[in-house]
Amino acid sequence: MRLIIAEKPSLARAIAEALPGRSSKRDGYIDAGDTRVTWCIGHLLEQAPPDDYDERFKRWSLDHLPIIPAQWKLKPRSQARGQLKTIREQLKLADEVIHAGDPDREGQLLVQEVLEHMRWRGPVKRLLISDMNRPAVTRALDKLDDNQRWQPLYEAALARQRADWLYGMNLTRAWTLTGRQAGHDGVLSVGRVQTPLLGLVVRRDEEIEAFEPRAFFPLWIEAGVATGSFKAWWHAPSSPWLQRLATKGTQLPLDDKGRLLDSRPAERLARHLATLKTPGDGHVESVEASDKSQPAPLPYSLSALQVDAARRYRLPAQKVLDTCQALYERHQLITYPRSDCRYLPREHHAGMANLMISACSGDEELERFSGGADFSLRSRAFNDAKVSAHHALAPTGREPDYARLSRDEANLYRMITRNVLAQFYPAYRYREVKVELRFAKEPFRASGRSVIDEGWKVLFQRAAQASDDKTPPPLPALQEGEPACVLDCGIEEKETRPPEPFNDASLIQAMMNIARYVEDDAVRRTLRDVDGLGTEATRAGMLETLINRGYLVRDGQAMRSTRIGRALIHALPDAVSRPERTALWEQRLSMIHEQGDPAAPFLSELVDDLRALLADSSASRLSAALASVGGATPRKNSGARKGNGARRKSGTSRRSKTGTSKTSTSKTGTSKEAGSGSTRRSSGTRKPAGSRRKSPSQ
């Protein structure tokens, strides 16, 4: 008998339906002749708690740390015992096992850890499914791989699981006990992903609060030429007049971005410009025109979709993940959603015409766009070299029944389908013109853009309008050396602004591009090749975890740090709250997976690192931070549960004001442990005179 073990019941049903012959549902499995299909329900096993290794670890004590298992143990989750028994019984009858976990690191671990736990030593094949439509599942069943090929991915997943346990459990106990000494009565959770993510928000919030706005004064002219007029701006950094003043020892009133911080030079120049009304009082110094093209945006990865959906529909990242999971499992309208890839296999190109026409049916706008597509085009998205375990999110080709879709499901389905459909439209082409003018020997600059071919942009016109597209308008026809005059001029008073607070979109984007937040140049260069902070499957859940634990709150669309969140970041060793460590972890795990590096040195180095971090815990530093920091107020229903061994009063547990209750379940089944310098208009224009739930440690 051949036994297929799927990651979840919905996948098991899809596999059974694709098998030849009739199948019948049994208790915990599906019988399909000489093949049986059973399933996991997320992780059926979890890392054993410290007291399973030694009873004395039930009481939390700094003297016990670090706790390092000599022999790692897994234990069944309480709600999974029945399904584990079913799998054990079926394994006794099996001649061969087919591993049908999701095509990612966690999916590889989820099924294989069950086989290892039950000491299965027979042959194992690997079934990779990213599309639950029957034809796609049938094709996957015909392309089984040897599971041994995926052993390095399992080793990487296992190393990640153990490293998370070591890091999170030891540091959470250490800082909870340190917090108790500092007067904080609650769990202080520390993890390799959640803590650097919290650090990003805390540092951004404090940068905003410490920001001191400064006024600056852009000077503009309305330049008149033979073919019309346009607006140009004084380029003060290259001003000959200001440079002459600088050579005489006068400090230039410019900031590091070239903005004029003193209105007096602009006012003086504007008074003179107001007199240059005659053609020839100025001239066009240079005209630089170039034709450019922009390819269609790539199909979505999960994180890219979460960023766009947060901007367009204000959907939290976790809501996007949950909705995509429903589109994949329940409606079978999209391919595997937890993908970090934005490319498609080349072999998919051949069948795209029929697939996309079917996928676009039922929606008037998508039907119109599919009618205008050229399915002979092969965009950069079809690239086998960029596709690994899974490809970009794409429609499956099943005709959608919009009556059965929620509003969010329909919106996200349209977004995913539109980005794939855009691959069959030509590039957006435009002409960009940059102009420099001279008036009173002073430089003025303008730019404009004119569309040559809208190309794929026609699919996104409504979205562009909603986002207040700031494309510069086209300029009139210009020639170098032609005379110009000043029709009008003025000075705008603006004010420097602090960076925007983080929100769902910008936090997901920050996690995707974590190298931007690394100060060390060498580390930043290394991290450009790393996937980022967290994974596609964990990023959304991590935001919710920090909210549920009382470290972050949603303030409208913004994410704000709370007092306890800030105090924790201030009290922790700096290395724990910075992204370098966790991103470098991901690099090491990638080397285990892709190059076959052994996991033991990685874990050994982690233990050495842990010892140094534990020695740096400081109750006085935490006490001082709690007394000095500000922060947002967490929701009333948030509060951290006490750790095992935390103090109790009057025989009852007491919630602290700052922690959180348990979080929702997800894939793993274990408890979870944007730029600055923008501007705003102030008082307007002045005229011159006369013018899958992850482990606790993440």
Side-chain angles (χ1 to χ4, degrees):
M1 184 266 288
R2 181 174 68 162
L3 180 65
I4 301 176
I5 305 177
E7 178 160 328
K8 55 182 77 72
S10 59
L11 181 59
R13 289 192 296 272
I15 293 170
E17 289 171 4
L19 292 170
R22 299 186 61 182
S23 60
S24 54
K25 178 77 163 56
R26 307 293 188 198
D27 186 12
Y29 68 95
I30 300 171
D31 195 336
D34 63 349
T35 301
R36 290 182 179 177
V37 187
T38 187
W39 54 83
C40 300
I41 314 165
H43 277 276
L44 301 181
L45 302 165
E46 62 188 0
Q47 285 287 339
D51 51 277
D52 272 21
Y53 295 98
D54 192 322
E55 187 71 19
R56 64 194 176 97
F57 293 154
K58 274 191 174 179
R59 187 179 70 84
W60 290 24
S61 169
L62 290 172
D63 295 335
H64 298 155
L65 304 179
I67 299 171
I68 304 166
Q71 187 72 37
W72 288 91
K73 297 179 182 179
L74 292 174
K75 61 185 295 185
R77 291 173 53 209
S78 58
Q79 62 269 47
R81 295 183 186 277
Q83 192 60 22
L84 276 170
K85 181 180 178 183
T86 296
I87 294 174
R88 188 184 300 276
E89 290 171 349
Q90 297 307 311
L91 282 172
K92 291 177 182 177
L93 304 173
D95 303 309
E96 179 186 58
V97 168
I98 296 177
H99 179 319
D102 280 350
D104 58 14
R105 192 167 67 194
E106 205 64 24
Q108 186 66 32
L109 174 66
L110 192 146
V111 174
Q112 192 160 338
E113 69 182 359
V114 173
L115 296 176
E116 296 288 338
H117 184 70
M118 295 183 176
R119 294 182 171 84
W120 169 259
R121 295 296 177 260
V124 182
K125 296 290 180 62
R126 188 65 164 97
L127 174 61
L128 297 168
I129 295 174
S130 59
D131 179 345
M132 292 206 296
N133 265 353
R134 183 167 181 167
V137 177
T138 301
R139 288 195 300 271
L141 284 164
D142 291 336
K143 294 169 61 177
L144 295 177
D145 201 356
D146 187 340
N147 189 60
Q148 188 61 32
R149 184 184 164 206
W150 298 87
Q151 184 66 18
L153 184 62
Y154 168 70
E155 297 291 347
L158 193 61
R160 192 279 310 159
Q161 185 186 70
R162 291 173 176 177
D164 277 344
W165 189 95
L166 287 168
Y167 191 82
M169 185 278 303
N170 280 293
L171 292 184
T172 295
R173 286 195 174 204
W175 284 93
T176 297
L177 293 166
T178 299
R180 188 188 304 170
Q181 295 170 0
H184 174 72
D185 191 21
V187 171
L188 290 176
S189 177
V190 180
R192 58 114 182 173
V193 175
Q194 63 164 294
T195 305
L197 180 58
L198 175 61
L200 287 179
V201 182
V202 168
R203 284 185 279 274
R204 174 63 60 84
D205 284 352
E206 292 179 342
E207 183 183 357
I208 291 169
E209 290 166 10
F211 183 83
E212 294 184 4
R214 299 189 69 180
F216 66 100
F217 305 92
L219 167 62
W220 58 266
I221 61 168
E222 185 73 22
V225 293
T227 54
S229 64
F230 57 96
K231 203 169 192 177
W233 300 86
W234 182 37
H235 191 249
S238 57
S239 162
W241 170 41
L242 293 183
Q243 294 301 324
R244 285 196 301 272
L245 292 178
T247 60
K248 296 177 181 178
T250 303
Q251 185 174 358
L252 292 181
L254 302 173
D255 67 8
D256 57 357
K257 295 188 177 181
R259 295 176 294 204
L260 186 67
L261 303 178
D262 185 338
S263 66
R264 288 173 295 179
E267 289 167 351
R268 179 177 170 183
L269 178 58
R271 284 193 292 271
H272 179 56
L273 291 169
T275 67
L276 306 180
K277 300 290 188 180
T278 305
D281 285 345
H283 68 277
V284 176
E285 176 130 307
S286 64
V287 179
E288 182 183 326
S290 56
D291 291 347
K292 297 185 176 182
S293 66
Q294 183 180 341
L298 291 166
Y300 283 117
S301 64
L302 175 60
S303 289
L305 179 64
Q306 286 168 323
V307 170
D308 277 4
R311 289 171 175 164
R312 195 172 303 175
Y313 299 115
R314 298 189 173 183
L315 289 178
Q318 185 64 46
K319 179 67 173 175
V320 175
L321 174 56
D322 293 343
T323 304
C324 284
Q325 204 67 32
L327 288 170
Y328 171 61
E329 291 185 22
R330 187 183 317 141
H331 303 292
Q332 297 182 18
L333 288 174
I334 66 168
T335 56
Y336 179 71
R338 297 169 185 253
S339 173
D340 60 354
C341 178
R342 300 197 68 176
Y343 293 86
L344 297 167
R346 285 177 65 88
E347 67 175 16
H348 283 205
H349 184 270
M352 273 293 180
N354 291 335
L355 184 151
M356 292 305 298
I357 290 169
S358 176
C360 292
S361 66
D363 181 274
E364 183 179 342
E365 189 174 59
L366 288 179
E367 286 181 351
R368 176 164 51 84
F369 290 148
S370 66
D374 180 357
F375 291 106
S376 68
L377 295 176
R378 188 191 298 273
S379 80
R380 61 187 175 132
F382 294 92
N383 186 341
D384 290 343
K386 300 278 190 177
V387 176
S388 53
H390 31 250
H391 57 68
L393 278 67
T396 60
R398 180 182 289 246
E399 291 190 12
D401 180 357
Y402 286 96
R404 296 183 57 218
L405 300 182
S406 70
R407 182 178 64 179
D408 291 339
E409 288 170 345
N411 285 337
L412 292 184
Y413 176 74
R414 291 185 183 103
M415 289 178 70
I416 293 166
T417 302
R418 184 181 287 111
N419 264 43
V420 175
L421 193 57
Q423 308 312 310
F424 303 101
Y425 274 72
Y428 166 59
R429 296 190 300 121
Y430 59 94
R431 169 160 290 192
E432 187 172 77
V433 180
K434 295 181 179 179
V435 179
E436 184 163 313
L437 305 98
R438 290 278 168 170
F439 288 93
K441 299 182 180 180
E442 290 297 305
F444 291 81
R445 293 180 177 179
S447 63
R449 181 180 294 185
S450 56
V451 176
I452 299 171
D453 183 353
E454 286 280 2
W456 57 266
K457 285 244 178 182
V458 297
L459 280 70
F460 297 86
Q461 285 173 341
R462 188 182 302 173
Q465 291 166 2
S467 64
D468 189 22
D469 190 15
K470 296 178 181 178
T471 302
L475 297 176
L478 296 166
Q479 292 184 346
E480 288 186 6
E482 73 171 285
C485 64
V486 176
L487 301 177
D488 196 5
C489 65
I491 302 166
E492 291 187 6
E493 181 178 348
K494 294 187 176 182
E495 196 174 71
T496 58
R497 294 184 63 185
E500 294 293 326
F502 277 117
N503 55 32
D504 276 74
S506 57
L507 268 177
I508 292 290
Q509 202 160 38
M511 295 171 82
M512 292 167 65
N513 302 287
I514 198 62
R516 296 179 184 174
Y517 300 89
V518 172
E519 295 177 355
D520 186 286
D521 288 340
V523 175
R524 188 186 303 116
R525 285 193 297 271
T526 301
L527 296 185
R528 288 191 185 121
D529 297 327
V530 176
D531 288 338
L533 191 63
T535 66
E536 303 294 317
T538 62
R539 287 170 184 153
M542 200 53 63
L543 298 183
E544 299 306 318
T545 294
L546 290 170
I547 291 170
N548 290 335
R549 289 193 169 137
Y551 297 156
L552 296 181
V553 294
R554 277 197 174 90
D555 179 12
Q557 294 299 305
M559 289 279 193
R560 302 282 191 181
S561 55
T562 64
R563 172 176 167 270
I564 187 60
R566 294 191 188 191
L568 180 60
I569 293 301
H570 280 273
L572 283 166
D574 195 52
V576 178
S577 67
R578 295 282 178 179
E580 287 90 337
R581 178 190 309 272
T582 188
L584 288 170
W585 270 33
E586 287 298 328
Q587 186 184 51
R588 292 291 298 274
L589 293 171
S590 294
M591 292 172 71
I592 295 170
H593 166 212
E594 295 169 6
Q595 300 179 25
D597 285 11
F602 166 63
L603 293 173
S604 177
E605 291 168 22
L606 170 61
V607 169
D608 293 342
D609 200 15
L610 268 177
R611 295 185 193 278
L613 292 173
L614 291 169
D616 199 20
S617 61
S618 168
S620 61
R621 194 162 65 230
L622 181 58
S623 180
L626 285 166
S628 63
V629 298
T633 303
R635 296 178 311 212
K636 290 184 179 179
N637 65 344
S638 65
R641 291 193 183 277
K642 288 179 176 291
N644 206 356
R647 290 182 301 182
R648 308 275 177 138
K649 292 193 177 182
S650 305
T652 61
S653 68
R654 184 182 67 183
R655 292 191 178 215
S656 81
K657 296 179 181 179
T658 53
T660 170
S661 58
K662 285 187 179 179
T663 59
S664 61
T665 59
S666 169
K667 184 171 182 174
T668 65
T670 59
S671 62
K672 289 184 183 175
E673 267 270 300
S676 64
S678 56
T679 62
R680 66 183 172 205
R681 193 179 300 271
S682 177
S683 58
T685 299
R686 295 195 297 176
K687 292 285 186 75
S691 81
R692 306 157 216 153
R693 206 158 73 170
K694 295 293 171 187
S695 64
S697 56
Q698 288 191 359

